Amino acid sequence: MRKEVVLVTGACGEMGQALIQTLSERGAHNILALDVNEIPPALRARCQVALQGDILDQKLLDRLVAEFSIPRIFHLAAVLSTRAEFTPEAAHRVNVDGTLNLLKLAADQASWLDRPVKFIFPSSVASYGLPDLETKAHVGAVKEWEWNVPTTMYGCTKLYAEHLGRYYSRYYRQLAARPQEETVDFRSIRFPGLISAYTVPSGGTSDYGPEMLHAAAKGEPYACFVREDTTMPFMAMPDAIKALLMLEAAPRERLSRQVYNVTSFNPSASMIYRLVKAAFPEAQITFKPDLKRQGIVDSWPVDQDDALARRDWDWQPDYDQARAFDEYLIPRIRERYAGN
Ligand code: SER
């Protein structure tokens, strides 16, 4: 018999680490963690199996299928928005071909198991693209079907991967003589920028928020790469994990769509500055906009409308801006760097 596992790709990423911690605290002893980087011992200890490997390595994926039964997949591995602009084709391979490999694996598993395989996929605010600041100001909070014209390779790949998920869940092999009965139960969330007290992102464009906070907590100077008035939506990491698990658990018949916005608060960069300065008055923060990265954040909406997630699966963040900083980020980050 093959061992039943929950597969988490991108296990060493910010979201992967936080998800694995929550899953294991909730009693999941069967996590199969996969990451292109070596999985650190503390994370490894929370997993049944921890593998270093590439989602583009078909042989590795075949081996997983041979060895494990995989009814749940959190496919988190991706190249983020800034990094993807340096090597767009390589990012496309990871974000699109990698996702395709996992969707195919999920479809095969569903057929073996004779039940749908849950496939939870983080998409992004980067799936939206606004042409200029005037439009951004005037549009406000975007709905899921609006402004789906991303300007980054990352945004393009996330939007397209959402379509692939919809295809694999509803239309895969639709012309076969006996179309597969059980397929992929694909569910996706378009996340805003995420801020964790424990980890810093690498290669994203919303990174100025977490970077400013972590630099201040470490007593290091920081030059923020966007203008002070730059505004986009953010969320505290515990809420991101809560959203993933709530959407996964939602009864299928309540879901009116496969891709949902979620969000929590949308501070300007100068607001983040003020919150960080209030907690760390010694912080040395300057603003030195990088026009290219600025252009990316300017193309993202100021806010996301998450009314459908609230209606369909009772989504609600635990941390608004004040609670995120006062009760999660600031106290935890102080602990995190205490003694350093
Ligand atoms: N945080 C991501 C990035 O900046 C957006 O999803 O790339």
Side-chain angles (χ1 to χ4, degrees):
M1 276 292 282
R2 296 177 310 161
K3 283 170 274 183
E4 183 171 310
V5 291
V6 44
L7 172 59
V8 180
T9 72
C12 296
E14 284 203 282
M15 201 181 251
Q17 294 186 44
L19 175 68
I20 288 173
Q21 182 175 344
T22 304
L23 285 174
S24 72
E25 282 168 3
R26 288 188 185 183
H29 299 300
N30 61 342
I31 300 168
L32 166 48
L34 178 63
D35 200 284
V36 74
N37 297 307
E38 193 179 344
I39 299 182
L43 196 59
R44 189 176 281 268
R46 294 182 180 274
C47 304
Q48 181 171 341
V49 189
L51 290 177
Q52 181 176 7
D54 193 333
I55 52 171
L56 295 173
D57 179 351
Q58 193 56 54
K59 278 199 192 125
L60 170 69
L61 297 182
D62 290 345
R63 229 180 70 210
L64 295 189
V65 172
E67 250 179 82
F68 301 101
S69 140
I70 313 176
R72 292 165 79 196
I73 298 172
F74 292 87
H75 172 41
L76 313 180
V79 178
L80 295 189
S81 57
T82 290
R83 188 162 294 158
E85 290 311 307
F86 289 102
T87 53
E89 293 77 16
H92 186 277
R93 278 192 288 281
V94 174
N95 294 2
V96 172
D97 296 350
T99 301
L100 191 74
N101 287 348
L102 267 304
L103 284 166
K104 170 81 170 82
L105 180 151
D108 290 347
Q109 286 289 314
S111 138
W112 280 102
L113 297 170
D114 211 17
R115 61 183 153 120
V117 164
K118 288 238 173 99
F119 194 104
I120 311 301
F121 179 70
S123 184
S124 165
V125 63
S127 309
Y128 300 104
L130 299 163
D132 49 56
L133 284 174
E134 214 187 335
T135 315
K136 173 166 169 153
H138 147 94
V139 158
V142 290
K143 298 192 193 326
E144 283 86 347
W145 53 90
E146 296 174 330
W147 299 100
N148 297 147
V149 277
T151 65
T152 59
M153 176 55 93
Y154 174 72
C156 292
T157 60
K158 284 290 181 186
L159 189 60
Y160 179 57
E162 293 173 6
H163 287 296
L164 287 176
R166 184 173 52 80
Y167 168 77
Y168 270 86
S169 60
R170 299 210 191 139
Y171 306 106
Y172 182 53
R173 307 192 67 220
Q174 57 191 296
L175 297 185
R178 282 182 36 233
Q180 191 168 311
E181 274 181 19
E182 293 297 354
T183 58
V184 183
D185 183 356
F186 177 84
R187 304 175 181 202
S188 176
I189 293 180
R190 287 199 190 133
F191 282 107
L194 302 179
I195 314 189
S196 163
Y198 300 105
T199 51
V200 251
S202 62
T205 319
S206 58
D207 296 8
Y208 62 91
E211 282 175 359
M212 202 187 294
L213 177 63
H214 282 259
K218 285 191 280 186
E220 292 173 359
Y222 183 67
C224 179
F225 60 80
V226 294
R227 289 184 319 266
E228 296 176 62
D229 65 296
T230 306
T231 305
M232 64 167 286
F234 278 96
M235 176 180 281
M237 187 59 84
D239 273 334
I241 303 308
K242 169 177 153 167
L244 283 177
L245 295 173
M246 278 184 82
L247 179 60
E248 191 216 359
R252 209 172 173 181
E253 59 281 3
R254 281 196 65 190
L255 303 182
S256 61
R257 40 187 307 114
Q258 291 181 284
V259 178
Y260 288 91
N261 277 339
V262 297
T263 192
S264 182
F265 49 94
N266 55 335
S268 62
S270 66
M271 173 56 82
I272 301 178
Y273 168 88
R274 288 200 294 277
L275 292 163
V276 170
K277 266 293 218 188
F280 302 100
E282 309 291 303
Q284 297 166 52
I285 302 164
T286 51
F287 284 84
K288 203 169 163 233
D290 168 331
L291 293 185
K292 293 180 179 153
R293 294 180 93 186
Q294 178 74 59
I296 292 178
V297 187
D298 285 346
S299 78
W300 293 347
V302 278
D303 201 0
Q304 290 168 257
D305 181 336
D306 61 3
L308 293 177
R310 288 173 184 263
R311 184 194 72 186
D312 288 2
W313 42 279
D314 308 319
W315 159 249
Q316 205 186 326
D318 289 334
Y319 296 95
D320 60 10
Q321 183 171 292
R323 275 201 76 199
F325 278 83
D326 298 346
E327 294 179 32
Y328 166 65
L329 292 169
I330 304 295
R332 303 288 172 84
I333 212 163
R334 282 194 205 283
E335 272 166 35
R336 158 90 169 73
Y337 294 112
N340 278 9

